[in-house]
Amino acid sequence: MQERLDQIKKQLHAENFKLTPQREATLRVLLENEEAHLSAEEIFMLVKQKAPDIGLATVYRTLDLLCELKIIEKLNFGDGVARYEFRSEDHPHHHHHLICLKCGSLFEIEDLLDDLEERVERDHKFKIVDHRVSFLGYCSSCLAKEGHKEGN
């Protein structure tokens, strides 16, 4: 984790920003919960444990800055709650999401669209810089509770 913090610190400095204690606490929470797709409020509650004097507005400003610098990405899964995840340095859209409509569980799957992107770029002379895909449905746990077989 320290290596990634150091890397982000360099990125911040390159853009004339400092890694303040509040920003560091926010980044640590994001790194510790990288797979969780936390909301700003969830991040705030966890950051508050590390930095009790931090305010919600500071967390929001930090998240906005990290999004602006393309360190993290703000995601919307249609439930009215913005969530955050780290962006991949080498491939900005490195996975897709499966979202359970019953329990709200969120699962990541690998990017399935590389070949399609290349074809769209070639056939339509269009440079794609990003894409987002979310599949909505029901997870295996919810299907089992309802007595459904997977795939039906």
Side-chain angles (χ1 to χ4, degrees), residues 105-132:
S105 294
L106 184 70
F107 307 94
E108 293 181 354
I109 60 172
E110 67 184 63
D111 189 337
L112 306 170
L113 300 179
D114 285 337
D115 292 338
L116 177 61
E117 261 192 23
E118 289 174 17
R119 195 172 108 210
V120 168
E121 286 187 341
R122 181 186 66 244
D123 293 354
H124 299 279
K125 296 179 179 28
F126 185 84
K127 177 63 180 159
I128 297 171
V129 296
D130 200 359
H131 72 256
R132 294 184 179 104

Side-chain angles (χ1 to χ4, degrees), residues 46-62:
L46 292 169
V47 170
K48 195 122 177 91
Q49 295 172 9
K50 297 178 182 303
D53 295 337
I54 198 165
L56 181 58
T58 301
V59 171
Y60 270 110
R61 281 192 303 273
T62 299

Side-chain angles (χ1 to χ4, degrees), residues 32-80:
E32 290 166 0
N33 299 279
E34 197 164 349
E35 301 300 318
H37 300 89
L38 297 174
S39 69
E41 291 77 14
E42 291 168 328
I43 294 166
F44 169 68
M45 296 306 291
L46 292 169
V47 170
K48 195 122 177 91
Q49 295 172 9
K50 297 178 182 303
D53 295 337
I54 198 165
L56 181 58
T58 301
V59 171
Y60 270 110
R61 281 192 303 273
T62 299
L63 293 171
D64 287 344
L65 174 65
L66 296 173
C67 285
E68 182 182 322
L69 297 177
K70 299 191 183 328
I71 294 169
I72 63 173
E73 184 172 1
K74 186 177 189 177
L75 304 170
N76 183 339
F77 295 117
D79 60 357

Side-chain angles (χ1 to χ4, degrees), residues 17-35:
F17 294 100
K18 293 182 179 180
L19 182 60
T20 64
Q22 296 87 350
R23 289 175 183 158
E24 183 172 346
T26 302
L27 280 164
R28 284 187 183 278
V29 163
L30 287 166
L31 288 167
E32 290 166 0
N33 299 279
E34 197 164 349
E35 301 300 318

